[in-house]
């Protein structure tokens, strides 16, 4: 088949190291199938699902059930396992067994680990198994209302919020644990300028640290909560303009090597609850490339090649994904997009539409996604 790609950019299929497909347990928000459709529409051919499903992915039977169903989808779906039983941070999981059944990494995403010694032994094991360990950095003891930055906006709303020190204190701890253990440690959805500085400092000392930035954290600030309400509520929260610019600087100087969506679907009914009661999280797969182009490439922070590195090569290498090892002549994963086309997100393949970016003017439109040599999405 001949594909007319005149005027389009061809890139490797995008890789997202951080998505929530909610399956099993919350399939009114997303399923493996609808998540896969949203991914393909966003240009993604590889995604890594987080483990805060119900039940959580802390044992082989849940893991193999997910991977068996994921294997029937058109894109490559990987699964991270919990770093502790039920994500409670108390009992260990059998990391070796979970890895042997296909877990591509370990994570505490959703419920950060409190016990530093527990986490340190998990890092030692991850190092031995040569798998990344990815961490949600927010110490709950600092937090009164999650999903909203503690600062000017929370003051205006008369609530306390989640201060950046909640994130920074765990980032500092985990930078030390990473340096000492030698494990590949991923700071997930980094949102504070001081967190970025910590990662930069410890990378310079030789820690095998990685960091993910989300499109919402490099595009929006806490002010978005006033405009979009619960659609701008997520953990960690949107912070100040200074923080946003520090995240961009981290992307520019390579401190932050990965762009990941933290695609976190929630239903309309759930997001319609009052701000402090609504669940945290926003969907991201279908707007991620366009937000990267609109917020990072067009203003001149990154070249298109640098953006694509953080959405393809870097994540594929870190997680040892086959997408990073396709040889000449093999069926490949790639995406065709128009980096100049202006469009407005207004409907989604995802089962949920909890994004503040609906109605925005974005640049960069995915036209076709090809995975394992098969067309898995065509525009229109
Ligand atoms: C995520 C979710 O909804 O599962 N929510 C969020 O606000 N980011 C959990 C997470 O990524 O920590
Ligand atoms: Zn998280
Ligand atoms: Zn997440």
């Amino acid at each position: 088949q001949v594909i007319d790609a005149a005027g389009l950019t061809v890139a490797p299929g995008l890789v997202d190291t951080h998505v929530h497909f909610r399956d099993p347990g919350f399939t009114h928000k997303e399923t493996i199938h609808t998540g896969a459709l949203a991914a393909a529409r966003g240009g993604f051919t590889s995604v890594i699902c987080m483990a805060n499903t119900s039940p959580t992915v802390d044992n082989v039977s849940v893991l193999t059930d997910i991977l068996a169903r994921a294997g029937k989808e058109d894109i490559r779906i990987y699964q991270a396992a919990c770093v502790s039983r039920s994500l409670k941070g108390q009992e260990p999981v059998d990391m070796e067994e979970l890895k042997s059944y296909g877990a591509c990494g370990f994570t505490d995403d959703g419920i950060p680990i409190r016990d530093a010694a527990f986490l340190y032994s998990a890092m030692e094991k991850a190092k031995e198994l040569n798998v990344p360990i990815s961490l949600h950095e927010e110490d709950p003891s600092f937090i009164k209302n999650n999903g909203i930055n503690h600062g000017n906006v929370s003051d205006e709303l008369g609530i306390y919020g989640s201060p950046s020190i909640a994130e920074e204190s765990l980032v500092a701890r985990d930078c030390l644990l990473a340096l000492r253990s030698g494990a590949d440690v991923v700071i997930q959805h980094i949102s504070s300028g001081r967190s970025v500085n910590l990662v930069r400092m410890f990378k310079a000392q030789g820690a095998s640290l990685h960091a993910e930035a989300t499109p919402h954290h490099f595009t929006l600030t806490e002010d978005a909560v006033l405009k979009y309400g619960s659609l701008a509520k997520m953990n960690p929260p949107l912070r100040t303009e200074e923080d946003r610019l520090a995240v961009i600087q981290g992307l520019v100087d390579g401190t932050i090597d990965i762009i990941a969506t933290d695609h976190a679907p929630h239903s309309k009914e759930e997001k319609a609850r009052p701000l402090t009661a609504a669940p945290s999280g926003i969907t991201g797969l279908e707007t991620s490339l366009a937000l990267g182009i609109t917020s990072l490439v067009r203003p001149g922070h990154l070249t298109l090649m640098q953006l694509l590195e953080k959405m393809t090569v870097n994540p594929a290498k870190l997680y040892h994904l086959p997408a990073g090892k396709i040889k000449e002549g093999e069926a490949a994963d790639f995406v065709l997009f128009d980096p100049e086309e202006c469009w407005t997100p207004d409907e989604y393949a995802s089962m949920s539409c909890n994004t503040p970016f609906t109605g925005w003017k974005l640049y960069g439109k995915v036209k076709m996604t090809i995975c394992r040599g098969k067309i898995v999405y065509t525009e229109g």
Side-chain angles (χ1 to χ4, degrees):
Q1 187 185 346
V2 178
I3 296 166
D4 182 5
L8 304 182
T9 298
V10 184
L14 305 179
V15 178
D16 192 345
T17 57
H18 189 153
V19 303
H20 297 269
F21 282 180
R22 308 297 192 204
D23 188 349
F26 307 101
T27 50
H28 64 290
K29 300 174 195 256
E30 195 80 284
T31 64
I32 291 172
H33 183 61
T34 58
L37 295 176
R41 195 159 183 249
F44 291 90
T45 51
S46 299
V47 299
I48 298 178
C49 297
M50 294 298 107
N52 62 340
T53 47
S54 180
T56 58
V57 189
D58 64 2
N59 65 77
V60 166
S61 89
V62 177
L63 174 66
T64 51
D65 163 62
I66 293 172
L67 289 178
R69 291 186 294 120
K72 296 184 183 129
E73 298 299 331
D74 276 347
I75 63 154
R76 304 175 197 258
I77 302 176
Y78 301 93
Q79 181 64 52
C82 298
V83 79
S84 68
R85 287 263 163 207
S86 310
L87 289 171
K88 286 187 177 142
Q90 284 160 2
E91 289 169 66
V93 296
D94 190 335
M95 291 172 65
E96 194 160 350
E97 186 185 39
L98 285 160
K99 193 205 163 184
S100 73
Y101 280 89
C104 69
F106 293 88
T107 183
D108 69 352
D109 192 40
I111 313 180
I113 299 256
R114 303 286 285 277
D115 183 332
F118 182 99
L119 184 54
Y120 185 68
S121 42
M123 282 187 194
E124 285 189 308
K125 192 71 193 173
K127 163 82 184 161
E128 186 191 316
L129 296 172
N130 191 26
V131 283
I133 184 158
S134 62
L135 300 168
H136 182 121
E137 307 289 34
E138 262 186 313
D139 181 338
S141 62
F142 283 105
I143 303 173
K144 289 219 177 69
N145 300 98
N146 73 40
I148 295 144
N149 186 41
H150 177 69
N152 290 340
V153 169
S154 67
D155 284 354
E156 204 172 320
L157 296 168
I159 56 181
Y160 185 84
S162 174
S164 64
I165 186 76
E167 173 177 315
E168 295 145 4
S169 59
L170 289 198
V171 171
R173 176 195 74 175
D174 295 343
C175 283
L176 286 163
L177 298 181
L179 183 63
R180 177 102 180 218
S181 68
D184 281 325
V185 172
V186 184
I187 307 298
Q188 297 183 295
H189 39 43
I190 198 163
S191 73
S192 127
R194 271 183 292 266
S195 298
V196 178
N197 290 342
L198 283 162
V199 172
R200 184 180 294 116
M201 209 164 86
F202 278 84
K203 276 176 94 154
Q205 289 184 43
S208 187
L209 278 163
H210 303 268
E212 297 171 352
T214 71
H216 42 279
H217 287 112
F218 63 65
T219 302
L220 299 171
T221 66
E222 56 183 350
D223 292 345
V225 175
L226 298 172
K227 188 161 180 196
Y228 302 103
S230 72
L231 291 181
K233 177 181 180 183
M234 83 287 300
N235 303 324
L238 300 169
R239 303 204 192 269
T240 64
E241 178 65 1
E242 205 183 330
D243 290 306
R244 187 184 78 89
L245 294 174
V247 167
I248 292 178
Q249 185 50 40
L251 286 160
V252 169
D253 70 20
T255 301
I256 303 172
D257 51 339
I258 292 172
I259 291 172
T261 63
D262 190 16
H263 179 80
H266 294 292
S267 72
K268 275 207 172 73
E269 294 69 32
E270 291 162 325
K271 278 290 193 183
R273 292 176 197 154
L275 186 59
T276 53
S280 292
I282 80 165
T283 51
L285 283 165
E286 294 168 73
T287 48
S288 180
L289 177 63
L291 285 165
I293 291 171
T294 306
S295 305
L296 300 174
V297 176
R298 289 180 64 95
H301 300 302
L302 296 185
T303 63
L304 186 57
M305 281 300 274
Q306 289 170 324
L307 174 73
L308 291 171
E309 255 185 340
K310 294 177 198 292
M311 299 183 77
T312 60
V313 189
N314 294 350
K317 270 193 191 153
L318 174 61
Y319 281 90
H320 318 287
L321 303 182
K325 299 177 203 144
I326 288 166
K327 293 179 205 73
E328 202 181 322
E330 275 179 20
D333 300 350
F334 50 100
V335 56
L336 272 67
F337 62 95
D338 182 342
E340 310 286 339
E341 185 175 324
C342 183
W343 64 290
T344 300
D346 60 357
E347 38 94 30
Y348 303 94
S350 169
M351 199 185 274
S352 295
C353 54
N354 49 301
T355 162
F357 299 114
T358 300
W360 276 45
K361 224 178 111 175
L362 300 180
Y363 292 87
K365 186 90 178 65
V366 174
K367 299 286 170 182
M368 185 179 280
T369 308
I370 293 168
C371 186
R372 303 182 188 101
K374 174 181 170 189
I375 297 175
V376 298
Y377 168 75
T378 323
E379 185 191 43

